[in-house]
Amino acid sequence: MSKMLGVFVGLLLVGLAASAKFDELFQPSWAMDHFIHEGELLKLKLDNYSGAGFGSKSKYMFGKVTILLKLVEGDSAGTVTAFYMSSDGPTHNEFDFEFLGNTTGEPYSVQTNVYVNGVGNREQRLNLWFDPTKDFHTYSIFWNQRQVVFLVDETPIRVHTNLEHKGIPFPKDQAMGVYSSIWNADDWATQGGRVKTDWSHAPFVATYKDFQIDACECPVPVTSADSAKKCSSSEDNKYWWDQPTLSELNLHQSHQLMWVRANHMLYDYCADTARFPVVPAECVHHPHHSRETNYH
């Protein structure tokens, strides 16, 4: 690997931004009385009155956002903790991490989803290879004009590739806010809604620290086209996320993703013939999807 290539790969892995305090980047969206600040830690709590959520003060186009998160301990069935990016409006784009609560002793699962022009239904679900309630782990979304990558402790767990040359729309022209929330979703979150929230275990607490946004900030109001132009390099690759080496996963990351899919994938919409008798267009062309596996 050339020295320059190594530097660029390193940029994707570590990002350039130092971690920031919560209130430099974010503000509470709802239920401020369900926020607890303990030194460098931020806790969001869910009880039978309310959940809580926060959002970024700015919107961004391309780059990498990361949180360090410790999920709800013990019996968290029925709860969802979400970390996501989203634009506004009915034709919004959105990249979701949703951490689905579990009954004590069962593994936590994470569901990811990608919305393009207001249309989602691209769920993937996997078990994590560690207990996310015992310690902090990093959850990141990396986004450029070529791909969206979901990362857990810098291991890619999902890639959504730009296939515009196949006539498939790709989210690259709407600035997005960064959000997180905790709420009750016991109608579907745990075992398809069969296991309900046990409020005797409330409050359910998700704990955050070290917020990082290393991305192109978009002033409001600016048109989408202007933001897209401002936040992408022309010939000179002035933005780190536009480096040619970051247009796809490197070999090591591709192997990591294959390992995740082979060992931890529970559900992939591309393989769900009941929901999608006709294979979704991006699944046909996508290098990281196939119908060969029937996930349980």
Side-chain angles (χ1 to χ4, degrees), residues 7 22 29 53 94 129 151 185 198 201 248 255 275:
V7 168
F22 172 80
S29 310
E94 187 174 325
W129 50 94
L151 301 127
D198 181 348
H201 294 149
E248 59 185 13
H255 287 157
R275 269 178 80 197

Side-chain angles (χ1 to χ4, degrees), residues 191-207:
Q191 296 179 28
R194 289 192 295 276
V195 182
K196 301 301 182 186
T197 305
D198 181 348
W199 293 109
S200 70
H201 294 149
F204 303 99
V205 177
T207 308

Side-chain angles (χ1 to χ4, degrees), residues 144-164:
N144 64 13
Q145 296 182 82
R146 304 294 313 135
Q147 59 178 354
V148 181
V149 186
F150 294 78
L151 301 127
V152 174
D153 292 334
E154 296 303 338
T155 295
I157 64 162
R158 178 174 189 164
V159 176
H160 187 82
T161 304
N162 185 334
L163 296 169
E164 285 179 310

Side-chain angles (χ1 to χ4, degrees), residues 100 109-111 123-127 188 264-267:
L100 309 180
S109 60
V110 56
Q111 178 166 290
E123 296 91 349
Q124 289 183 8
R125 197 175 289 191
L126 51 92
N127 278 339
W188 65 272
H264 296 281
M265 184 73 81
L266 299 173
Y267 174 84

Side-chain angles (χ1 to χ4, degrees), residues 170-183:
F170 181 78
K172 68 173 179 39
D173 58 359
Q174 297 181 37
M176 302 172 91
V178 186
Y179 304 93
S180 188
S181 55
I182 183 170
W183 78 93

Side-chain angles (χ1 to χ4, degrees), residues 204-243:
F204 303 99
V205 177
T207 308
Y208 301 76
K209 65 177 183 179
D210 290 359
F211 301 88
Q212 298 177 21
I213 298 180
D214 185 7
C216 186
E217 194 170 340
C218 295
V220 184
V222 170
T223 68
S224 297
D226 288 345
S227 290
K229 206 174 294 179
K230 170 187 175 292
C231 293
S232 54
S233 316
S234 46
E235 304 75 54
D236 55 359
N237 292 324
K238 66 178 174 178
Y239 292 118
W240 68 268
W241 52 84
D242 277 338
Q243 302 299 337

Side-chain angles (χ1 to χ4, degrees), residues 2-285:
S2 74
K3 190 165 185 189
M4 284 302 280
L5 177 59
V7 168
F8 293 142
V9 170
L11 288 180
L12 175 57
L13 294 178
V14 299
L16 292 173
S19 59
K21 290 187 165 53
F22 172 80
D23 44 14
E24 290 170 20
L25 297 172
F26 294 98
Q27 57 198 12
S29 310
W30 47 288
M32 290 184 68
D33 59 345
H34 283 57
F35 283 69
I36 305 160
H37 291 272
E38 290 179 3
E40 65 174 35
L41 302 182
L42 168 69
K43 298 184 174 185
L44 295 193
K45 69 177 185 178
L46 165 69
D47 56 28
N48 50 4
Y49 298 104
S50 180
F54 61 82
S56 58
K57 294 177 177 178
S58 295
K59 290 199 161 39
Y60 302 90
M61 185 95 83
F62 310 131
K64 186 178 181 184
V65 300
T66 299
I67 55 168
L68 268 156
L69 174 61
K70 184 160 66 169
L71 289 164
V72 178
E73 289 192 59
D75 181 352
S76 57
T79 70
V80 173
T81 306
F83 167 53
Y84 60 104
M85 297 183 74
S86 182
S87 59
D88 299 329
T91 57
H92 74 294
N93 299 328
E94 187 174 325
F95 313 139
D96 294 337
F97 274 104
E98 292 178 319
F99 302 96
L100 309 180
N102 64 355
T103 50
T104 307
E106 293 287 315
Y108 237 97
S109 60
V110 56
Q111 178 166 290
T112 58
N113 203 352
V114 175
Y115 285 74
V116 185
N117 298 335
V119 180
N121 298 324
R122 296 182 179 89
E123 296 91 349
Q124 289 183 8
R125 197 175 289 191
L126 51 92
N127 278 339
L128 294 165
W129 50 94
F130 52 83
D131 182 345
T133 71
K134 292 289 180 256
D135 210 343
F136 289 93
H137 293 268
T138 63
Y139 303 96
S140 308
I141 300 166
F142 170 73
W143 175 35
N144 64 13
Q145 296 182 82
R146 304 294 313 135
Q147 59 178 354
V148 181
V149 186
F150 294 78
L151 301 127
V152 174
D153 292 334
E154 296 303 338
T155 295
I157 64 162
R158 178 174 189 164
V159 176
H160 187 82
T161 304
N162 185 334
L163 296 169
E164 285 179 310
H165 62 287
K166 303 282 191 186
I168 297 165
F170 181 78
K172 68 173 179 39
D173 58 359
Q174 297 181 37
M176 302 172 91
V178 186
Y179 304 93
S180 188
S181 55
I182 183 170
W183 78 93
N184 176 43
D186 67 4
D187 54 333
W188 65 272
T190 306
Q191 296 179 28
R194 289 192 295 276
V195 182
K196 301 301 182 186
T197 305
D198 181 348
W199 293 109
S200 70
H201 294 149
F204 303 99
V205 177
T207 308
Y208 301 76
K209 65 177 183 179
D210 290 359
F211 301 88
Q212 298 177 21
I213 298 180
D214 185 7
C216 186
E217 194 170 340
C218 295
V220 184
V222 170
T223 68
S224 297
D226 288 345
S227 290
K229 206 174 294 179
K230 170 187 175 292
C231 293
S232 54
S233 316
S234 46
E235 304 75 54
D236 55 359
N237 292 324
K238 66 178 174 178
Y239 292 118
W240 68 268
W241 52 84
D242 277 338
Q243 302 299 337
T245 49
L246 301 182
S247 62
E248 59 185 13
L249 299 187
N250 64 35
L251 189 60
H252 174 62
Q253 291 170 320
S254 295
H255 287 157
Q256 286 180 311
L257 180 62
M258 286 163 60
W259 174 81
V260 169
R261 291 183 61 84
N263 294 288
H264 296 281
M265 184 73 81
L266 299 173
Y267 174 84
D268 183 0
Y269 76 106
C270 284
D272 190 338
T273 49
R275 269 178 80 197
F276 302 104
V278 177
V279 185
E282 68 268 21
C283 302
V284 176
H285 303 291

